[in-house]
């Protein structure tokens, strides 16, 4: 449908997109979800990723959201890759509810349960996300949910200004958000507000490419002092394991320089998760995460379009080789 010209929202309204994945995720067992998650994280690790933000958001009811978060928690404990867990119960409005009703359910039922499970050590959630978008969660519902998450100690890291200008960037800056993702439709005022607030912009060149959206204005953000990070946006719509590919797209389509793209995929991405004091650069006192590549220059990681598997000899996490070619 997408290749035939249907828009993201047309597919969504036809029962595809998020809704389709929600049905399948509700039917899947924890074992099935863990198996596929484990496999995907290993693919990311072989492509050089050592810290991943992993979201729920394909449950939309408390039971399935918690099922996803338990699977993420199990991966966090068992796998070599670092995981920052994000609760994204407000990824879409569940069938039969309005956005206001869905927001009430999240604030009154989901968040108290997350707080309780966090307190007794069963699951560890770092961030809260909302899909702030026309026809999904409006600015008011988004504000209420994000504030509710902040009140229980979660970092704000949400979808904003993707398909329509929503003033999401201004809202994020006001609420003290750690990061906002997408931002294809961000306003000039929103960019200025994010720069002042130290709120990072997680730009996703895969999404703009796959959905044929206009590219996020990376150059303007960088010129105005916004902390620009890059993400793969790995999901059913953008099935990309490879940050080298993401950096390549950022340089070609968003006109970033190679050093800017490297910083955006490492130290600034760590900052977007509140982890730049431990991850994202090679410094004394930080976690020993690095990759060793077989190349005359580091730029080949971006310059070679595809084929990172030929370049990456070793991936090292916490000082241990977790992958060897």
């Amino acid at each position: 449908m997408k290749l035939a010209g249907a828009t993201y929202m047309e597919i969504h309204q036809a029962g595809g997109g998020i809704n389709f994945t929600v049905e399948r995720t509700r039917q899947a067992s924890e074992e099935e979800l863990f198996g596929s998650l484990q496999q995907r994280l290993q693919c990311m690790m072989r492509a050089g990723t050592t810290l991943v933000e992993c979201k729920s958001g394909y449950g939309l009811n408390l039971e399935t959201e918690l099922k996803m978060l338990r699977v993420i928690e199990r991966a966090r404990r068992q796998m070599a890759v670092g995981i920052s867990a994000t609760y994204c119960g407000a990824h879409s409005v569940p069938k039969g509810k309005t956005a206001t009703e869905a927001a009430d359910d999240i604030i009154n039922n989901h968040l108290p349960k997350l707080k309780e499970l966090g307190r007794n050590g069963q699951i560890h959630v770092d961030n809260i996300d909302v899909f702030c978008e026309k026809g999904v969660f409006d600015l008011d519902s988004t504000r209420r949910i994000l504030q509710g998450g902040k009140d229980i100690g979660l970092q704000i890291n949400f979808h904003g200004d993707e398909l329509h200008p929503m003033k999401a960037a201004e809202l994020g800056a006001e609420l003290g958000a750690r990061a906002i993702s997408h931002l294809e439709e961000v306003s000039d005022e929103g960019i200025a507000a994010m720069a002042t607030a130290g709120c990072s912009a997680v730009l996703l060149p895969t999404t703009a490419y796959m959905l044929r959206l206009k590219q996020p204005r990376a150059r303007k953000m960088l010129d105005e002092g916004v902390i620009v990070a890059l993400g793969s946006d790995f999901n059913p719509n953008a099935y990309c394991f490879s940050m080298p590919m993401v950096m390549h797209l950022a340089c070609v389509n968003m006109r970033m320089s190679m050093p800017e793209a490297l910083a955006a995929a490492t130290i600034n991405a760590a900052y977007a998760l509140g982890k730049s004091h431990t991850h994202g650069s090679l410094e004394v006192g930080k976690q020993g995460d690095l990759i060793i590549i077989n190349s005359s220059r580091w730029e080949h990681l971006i310059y070679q379009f595809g084929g990172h598997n030929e370049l990456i000899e070793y991936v090292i996490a916490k000082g241990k080789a977790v992958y060897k070619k």
Side-chain angles (χ1 to χ4, degrees), residues 85-215:
T86 299
Y87 162 75
C88 185
H91 196 194
S92 182
V93 178
K95 283 177 191 155
K97 280 199 166 117
T98 64
T100 306
E101 288 165 348
D104 290 344
D105 183 36
I106 287 167
I107 292 160
N108 299 327
N109 300 313
H110 293 214
L111 294 179
K113 190 68 183 170
L114 290 189
K115 187 179 177 182
E116 178 199 323
L117 293 171
R119 259 208 316 258
N120 62 29
Q122 283 177 264
I123 56 170
H124 179 85
V125 181
D126 301 281
N127 318 290
I128 184 161
D129 186 4
V130 175
F131 189 9
C132 178
E133 185 53 73
K134 199 171 164 182
V136 192
F137 287 93
D138 63 16
L139 212 57
D140 182 50
S141 296
T142 300
R143 176 194 297 277
R144 290 173 55 221
I145 297 166
L146 293 176
Q147 187 61 54
K150 188 179 178 180
D151 292 345
I152 65 163
L154 301 179
Q155 294 183 122
I156 296 175
N157 185 343
F158 72 113
H159 291 58
D161 295 326
E162 179 186 0
L163 305 172
H164 298 92
M166 297 283 293
K167 295 203 181 312
E170 291 90 325
L171 173 68
E174 179 199 326
L175 291 177
R178 168 56 64 166
I180 305 172
S181 302
H182 288 288
L183 300 166
E184 287 84 354
E185 296 286 346
V186 68
S187 67
D188 291 352
E189 296 74 19
I191 291 175
M194 287 178 72
T196 305
C199 171
S200 53
V202 182
L203 304 184
L204 307 162
T206 49
T207 308
Y209 165 73
M210 292 290 293
L211 292 177
R212 302 175 174 139
L213 303 175
K214 71 180 189 196
Q215 296 290 328

Side-chain angles (χ1 to χ4, degrees), residues 255-271:
R255 295 179 160 70
M256 290 173 74
S257 71
M258 286 197 271
E260 283 169 345
L262 181 67
T266 54
I267 189 68
N268 292 1
Y271 175 88

